[in-house]
Amino acid sequence: MAIKKNPNKLLAIELTNHCNLKCPQCPQGKLAVPKGYMDRQTFLECLRFSSGYTELNWRGEPLLHPNLAEYVTIAKKVNPTLDLGFHTNGTLLDEALFFSLAKNGLNWLHLSLHTSESCKKYPQIISWNRKLANPLRIHAEVDNTQEELMALSFGFPSNKFQKNQIANWGGFLTDYRAIHGDPGDYAQTCLMIQDNSFIVAYDGRVNACCWDFEQHHSLGQVNHFSAIQHNPPYKRCVSCLWIWYVPRLVEANYKGYNLVVYNQPKEKYHAIAQRLGPLDIGFLSEERIMEYRMKQDWFVGDSLEEIRSAIDQLFPHKQPLTMGISRRAH
């Protein structure tokens, strides 16, 4: 069944699918797929359909692209409002490139602690970031228990990295065994489908699924992006397991609050005052959240209606100004 809710949105632009690592939990180093780098014209075409939160990676290590810093500059010139960043193992990042990326407009960096080299680089990146007048939002993440133990052995407290996503890489880790009797029903829970989001590979092919490293779900070229729409279920839906614990914005600027859904440890809706600026609510302490709630900058409820009602009671005469939906929250 075809689904078309919001205007098409590119969630991720893959600058390259080359990688300098071969992590055991990742299919990247084991699949016989063509490798390459995104050219400038394809990148410019992708930017026509990019807004808000945007990743400059998919299957590979973006630091391997020779024009990474230049592409960041181009992206921010085309659309200064992009919330631009990428996931990286960090091993190829040096101080000069870090400052260049930050100067050119990068907003965030997500470091995957896959190796001891990544763990060693993490404190360095944090120290570089402290030197910036406008620091990047920097996160670290582990993918499995082995990586978590390695991060802990390097002295990182558990609240300094994330381990809150369960995935089997579209069936890769379960040998593509079917785990859903009704893949069509499961597909309706996918954020890619709910938000009408897509990924563009380095060669300009639009992909429906973020876990489909073999590109079974290519839906056409990015220069025809406006005509593309989701049509699930897809081949990988039957063996996909993806539990997403990242806060998701569901309504922007409701009387000065962003309305967010967050399902960790259980699903709750949050209204967060926009004047607080960017916040990573998964990393905030209970004490800090309580402080915001006492100041009426933060409301928590079991439904959108409950938190809207709380705001309405506080501002009964103020009119809401909604501004759309995004995959990520603050």
Side-chain angles (χ1 to χ4, degrees):
M1 92 205 98
I3 292 179
K4 192 169 182 67
K5 295 182 179 179
N6 308 309
N8 284 4
K9 162 77 166 62
L10 285 184
L11 173 69
I13 303 171
E14 180 186 66
L15 298 188
T16 181
N17 62 345
H18 285 281
C19 190
N20 59 319
L21 299 180
K22 291 185 177 180
C23 299
Q25 80 278 6
C26 178
Q28 164 70 351
K30 303 173 178 65
L31 300 178
V33 296
K35 298 289 202 313
Y37 301 90
M38 182 171 285
D39 61 46
R40 186 192 308 268
Q41 187 56 47
T42 303
F43 186 63
L44 287 170
E45 187 70 21
C46 291
L47 293 177
R48 292 179 54 212
F49 308 102
S50 302
S51 62
Y53 176 86
T54 304
E55 301 178 4
L56 294 179
N57 63 279
W58 178 27
R59 297 168 293 185
E61 171 52 63
L63 291 171
L64 286 169
H65 197 290
N67 301 321
L68 173 60
E70 179 188 0
Y71 279 20
V72 169
T73 303
I74 292 172
K76 297 299 276 194
K77 283 184 178 179
V78 170
N79 187 347
T81 66
L82 287 180
D83 187 16
L84 197 66
F86 57 84
H87 298 248
T88 174
N89 59 59
T91 58
L92 302 175
L93 188 62
D94 58 34
E95 188 172 7
L97 179 55
F98 177 83
F99 286 125
S100 176
L101 291 168
K103 179 182 177 181
N104 293 351
L106 200 72
N107 300 106
W108 57 269
L109 199 63
H110 197 132
L111 186 68
S112 298
L113 302 178
H114 294 323
T115 65
S116 59
E117 288 76 15
S118 299
C119 290
K120 292 174 184 175
K121 187 60 66 80
Y122 184 26
Q124 289 184 300
I125 295 172
I126 295 298
S127 68
W128 301 336
N129 200 43
R130 292 196 184 107
K131 299 177 183 178
L132 295 175
N134 296 301
L136 306 186
R137 305 194 312 275
I138 295 180
H139 309 283
E141 183 180 58
V142 298
D143 273 354
N144 52 47
T145 301
Q146 180 179 350
E147 291 181 4
E148 181 180 20
L149 291 173
M150 181 171 60
L152 292 171
S153 74
F154 271 83
F156 304 145
S158 58
N159 65 346
K160 293 299 182 183
F161 56 86
Q162 294 175 314
K163 187 191 177 185
N164 55 12
Q165 177 175 291
I166 300 174
N168 65 347
W169 300 83
F172 171 74
L173 298 181
T174 53
D175 198 26
Y176 302 110
R177 292 183 178 88
I179 57 178
H180 301 298
D182 187 349
D185 183 64
Y186 182 77
Q188 306 312 307
T189 68
C190 175
L191 291 182
M192 296 287 290
I193 294 170
Q194 289 181 9
D195 291 351
N196 218 41
S197 296
F198 302 84
I199 290 168
V200 171
Y202 76 90
D203 56 5
R205 286 190 288 168
V206 178
N207 221 60
C209 173
C210 55
W211 296 124
D212 175 27
F213 278 23
E214 295 170 297
Q215 292 183 259
H216 293 289
H217 310 320
S218 290
L219 303 178
Q221 292 293 128
V222 69
N223 56 343
H224 299 296
F225 187 64
S226 297
I228 289 174
Q229 58 182 306
H230 277 296
N231 189 23
Y234 300 113
K235 181 175 182 179
R236 289 288 173 248
C237 291
V238 70
S239 56
C240 178
L241 175 62
W242 185 19
I243 301 175
W244 187 256
Y245 291 139
V246 172
R248 186 164 67 96
L249 182 71
V250 292
E251 188 171 327
N253 197 15
Y254 183 84
K255 297 186 176 183
Y257 291 79
N258 286 338
L259 309 187
V260 173
V261 63
Y262 186 46
N263 56 348
Q264 176 75 351
K266 61 181 180 179
E267 184 171 277
K268 289 285 187 179
Y269 287 84
H270 302 254
I272 304 170
Q274 289 187 322
R275 68 182 186 82
L276 295 179
L279 295 173
D280 296 302
I281 70 177
F283 284 91
L284 287 177
S285 66
E286 289 294 332
E287 292 78 10
R288 178 57 60 87
I289 294 176
M290 185 57 65
E291 176 187 329
Y292 289 144
R293 294 182 69 176
M294 292 291 289
K295 295 178 179 179
Q296 297 182 313
D297 286 332
W298 195 306
F299 300 97
V300 181
D302 294 317
S303 67
L304 282 175
E305 291 71 23
E306 183 178 343
I307 58 175
R308 284 198 190 105
S309 176
I311 297 169
D312 290 341
Q313 291 179 33
L314 188 62
F315 301 108
H317 304 298
K318 190 173 183 179
Q319 294 299 311
L321 175 63
T322 57
M323 298 179 65
I325 295 175
S326 173
R327 178 187 178 96
R328 295 281 176 101
H330 269 27

